[in-house]
Amino acid sequence: MPWRRIGLFMLISYGLFALAAAPFWFLPDGIAHPAFTPVIAVGMWAPAAASLIMAKGVERVSWRTRVGLRFRGRWTRILAWMPLGLVLVVAILLLSELVAAVRGVPVDLTGRTWLETGMAQFAERTGQEIPAIALVLITAATVVAGLAVTMLAILGEEIGWRDWLWPALTPLGRIPAALVGGVFWSLWHLPVVLIGYNYPGADRAAAVAMFLLPCIAMTLLFGALTDRAGGSPLPAALAHAGINTLSGVLLGIVATTQTMAHYSHFLDGPLGIAGVLLMAAAGGPRPARARAAASGPARRRTGPAGEPGRRVSPPGRALHRPCRRYSRGVIPHASLTCS
């Protein structure tokens, strides 16, 4: 295991993100400051910047190849797993709210309370009534725009965590890799979690400890999406953006005036125990056939008239000559090639 490289990658990622978050430790509004969201959005590219420094300055390999940003031969899998991953995330979010309802949290699963409240608020602000379908369409357009903007920021995280760190850790096995990677990822959030980000109103020590679990579960889920997409970070980035964007929207749709008085961020929603279990189940071990395709033995291709040919790797494991020296140190994604 290339622990020294992993340690250097983490040091760079932590340092750059902490630098972005540092002003909000001293500004009076903290995470409520108007500049917080745009500045932290830039800071979320710290893992991508660290992966670029590692690929170019330490590993001496193509950065785009190393982090899955070469798309030739992968478009089918990418275009399939982007919507599938988003649908999976929506299902997880809906199920987590259903678990909250079963637990006794008062919710309106029909969304009627949200519609009536939204229409009343619109009429109060504008003096005009709005039909229910218009409110739904406005909300849908807002969600789509939010997904696009959030995905752009989150892509920087996924390039680093899922396309540089995840392949480096997977020789440990998928579950140990998720445990280690999830802990690293969770602690990377410390500069903002310690000043109130995530688990609003909760004790900060408890928030830091609890955030370990969803980060481990999401590492397993997003790592699985990345593997299935041939190493591309795009499906994981969209799924990650879906959790960040849609969790609040879906909670708002099913919430009533009594919901938040009974809602526990430690138990309910994607960052609670319910979401952790659902995400861990969705990102579980790869099927045996997928494992065999990714790690099966190399086979020998025969040349013309049955002459012995060159030894080749199974599909998705070809390593071109510039990558051979690097591949001894860090195991790349199953489909990594240096073209």
Side-chain angles (χ1 to χ4, degrees), residues 56-142:
K56 291 295 187 182
V58 178
E59 298 164 341
R60 307 290 183 180
V61 297
S62 165
W63 176 66
R64 288 179 57 201
T65 299
R66 176 67 174 86
V67 298
L69 292 179
R70 295 192 185 277
F71 305 116
R72 182 182 301 176
R74 302 179 184 176
W75 281 115
T76 300
R77 284 178 288 177
I78 293 171
L79 294 178
W81 281 103
M82 286 183 71
L84 285 174
L86 184 60
V87 169
L88 180 61
V89 161
V90 171
I92 290 171
L93 294 176
L94 290 173
L95 285 172
S96 68
E97 301 307 340
L98 181 60
V99 170
V102 171
R103 199 176 65 81
V105 177
V107 296
D108 180 3
L109 296 178
T110 68
R112 185 176 301 172
T113 301
W114 168 75
L115 274 176
E116 293 174 351
T117 303
M119 292 165 63
Q121 290 176 345
F122 186 89
E124 182 180 347
R125 293 175 183 175
T126 64
Q128 297 179 346
E129 293 186 355
I130 183 175
I133 186 63
L135 179 61
V136 171
L137 291 175
I138 291 172
T139 303
T142 304

Side-chain angles (χ1 to χ4, degrees), residues 32-336:
H33 194 280
F36 178 81
T37 298
V39 170
I40 294 302
V42 174
M44 290 164 68
W45 276 80
S51 71
L52 176 62
I53 293 171
M54 294 301 299
K56 291 295 187 182
V58 178
E59 298 164 341
R60 307 290 183 180
V61 297
S62 165
W63 176 66
R64 288 179 57 201
T65 299
R66 176 67 174 86
V67 298
L69 292 179
R70 295 192 185 277
F71 305 116
R72 182 182 301 176
R74 302 179 184 176
W75 281 115
T76 300
R77 284 178 288 177
I78 293 171
L79 294 178
W81 281 103
M82 286 183 71
L84 285 174
L86 184 60
V87 169
L88 180 61
V89 161
V90 171
I92 290 171
L93 294 176
L94 290 173
L95 285 172
S96 68
E97 301 307 340
L98 181 60
V99 170
V102 171
R103 199 176 65 81
V105 177
V107 296
D108 180 3
L109 296 178
T110 68
R112 185 176 301 172
T113 301
W114 168 75
L115 274 176
E116 293 174 351
T117 303
M119 292 165 63
Q121 290 176 345
F122 186 89
E124 182 180 347
R125 293 175 183 175
T126 64
Q128 297 179 346
E129 293 186 355
I130 183 175
I133 186 63
L135 179 61
V136 171
L137 291 175
I138 291 172
T139 303
T142 304
V143 167
V144 170
L147 274 174
V149 173
T150 305
M151 181 180 174
L152 181 61
I154 281 176
L155 183 60
E157 280 198 62
E158 295 306 314
I159 287 173
W161 301 126
R162 248 56 70 185
D163 282 282
W164 194 94
L165 184 61
W166 177 251
L169 293 175
T170 47
L172 296 171
R174 288 177 54 77
I175 303 302
L179 290 171
V180 175
V183 170
F184 285 164
W185 187 27
S186 174
L187 296 179
W188 177 80
H189 289 83
L190 277 178
V192 293
V193 173
L194 288 175
I195 56 174
Y197 195 75
N198 289 335
Y199 306 108
D203 176 76
R204 288 299 88 193
V208 169
M210 181 60 199
F211 196 48
L212 289 168
L213 297 180
C215 282
I216 291 170
M218 285 189 286
T219 296
L220 190 61
L221 174 59
F222 298 156
L225 288 174
T226 302
D227 289 342
R228 283 164 169 76
S232 171
L234 297 181
L238 182 57
H240 190 170
I243 290 177
N244 285 19
T245 303
L246 297 175
S247 57
V249 173
L250 292 178
L251 176 58
I253 289 174
V254 303
T256 68
T257 55
Q258 301 297 318
T259 297
M260 298 315 297
H262 299 81
Y263 196 88
S264 169
H265 289 285
F266 288 147
L267 297 176
D268 307 312
L271 300 186
I273 295 298
V276 167
L277 294 176
L278 290 167
M279 288 187 291
R286 286 185 295 177
R289 186 170 61 180
R291 289 196 301 268
S295 60
R299 64 186 185 279
R300 187 173 296 278
R301 179 184 298 166
T302 57
E307 295 178 1
R310 62 185 179 89
R311 186 174 178 83
V312 297
S313 298
R317 290 285 296 206
L319 293 178
H320 290 192
R321 186 173 300 275
C323 279
R324 287 175 183 166
R325 175 178 60 84
Y326 156 72
S327 66
R328 299 189 195 103
V330 179
I331 305 298
H333 277 294
S335 60
L336 178 64

